[in-house]
Amino acid sequence: YPSITQGNAPTVAAAVRYTFDDPFGDAGKVLHPYAELGSWITPQEPLTLTRSYANGSGTSTGTGGTNATSWAEYGRGGLIWDATADDRLTGYGELGQQYMSFGGYSETSTASNTFPATVGAGLLRMGVARIGGLWTHKLDDLFDEWGKVPVSITLAGDVAQSFNVHSGMTVNVAG
């Protein structure tokens, strides 16, 4: 398969979250389970694909370009913990699907690409399982001279695993 380089097209995202209030009977209401459904899309993003191959006397490289649209939908469940008045920890698990629809393209025959490829339009699809966490710290006290401006910093991290990967890419090479 070729390596893929995507451009910088804008991404649009939307999510709906329901947070449960005080389900554990905590007087301080510090633990909050939540459920979230979300989606994102990056339409008509420039896409450059590069492949290297053995040509019998060394290595050749073919390059082509097209547009792609990437999108995903997911379901997430997690737990929010208000550890202190200024610190919030969040952990979650997520299952979703990610897609990339791309147009076809043809490489140009050159001295460095003696066997150009023609790639048909297709759809790449995969399931994604993810676990992650966030730490949010309020910085409101640092900005008191501006009035009560809500300012915070969030550090986030997660680990993801793809599964059920289906590639709809078809490639024809002359010769």
Side-chain angles (χ1 to χ4, degrees), residues 1-174:
Y1 291 102
S3 62
I4 299 173
T5 304
Q6 291 179 273
N8 293 319
T11 299
V12 177
V16 175
R17 178 183 285 186
Y18 182 81
T19 303
F20 299 89
D21 289 331
D22 197 17
F24 302 110
D26 297 330
K29 299 182 183 180
V30 295
L31 290 175
H32 305 281
Y34 71 93
E36 178 178 308
L37 295 175
S39 182
W40 58 263
I41 185 168
T42 304
Q44 293 303 303
E45 182 172 32
L47 186 68
T48 302
L49 295 101
T50 304
R51 69 182 178 98
S52 296
Y53 60 93
N55 64 13
S57 64
T59 302
S60 293
T61 301
T63 301
T66 187
N67 286 323
T69 297
S70 301
W71 70 97
E73 61 259 353
Y74 66 88
R76 179 182 288 180
L79 186 63
I80 300 168
W81 177 37
D82 294 327
T84 69
D86 290 334
D87 294 294
R88 173 177 277 185
L89 299 172
T90 303
Y92 62 87
E94 174 182 307
L95 281 176
Q97 287 279 321
Q98 292 185 4
Y99 306 87
M100 179 190 292
S101 170
F102 52 90
Y105 69 93
S106 294
E107 297 174 355
T108 304
S109 179
T110 64
S112 64
N113 186 18
T114 53
F115 296 100
T118 300
V119 178
L123 176 70
L124 172 67
R125 179 187 77 236
M126 68 180 152
V128 177
R130 181 182 327 262
I131 58 171
L134 299 94
W135 169 56
T136 301
H137 181 73
K138 290 182 184 178
L139 300 172
D140 300 354
D141 295 341
L142 296 175
F143 298 95
D144 277 342
E145 65 274 5
W146 294 346
K148 280 297 181 186
V149 176
V151 178
S152 64
I153 186 170
T154 299
L155 298 175
D158 61 31
V159 176
Q161 175 67 49
S162 62
F163 60 93
N164 195 23
V165 177
H166 171 73
S167 171
M169 182 177 279
T170 58
V171 179
N172 292 310
V173 179

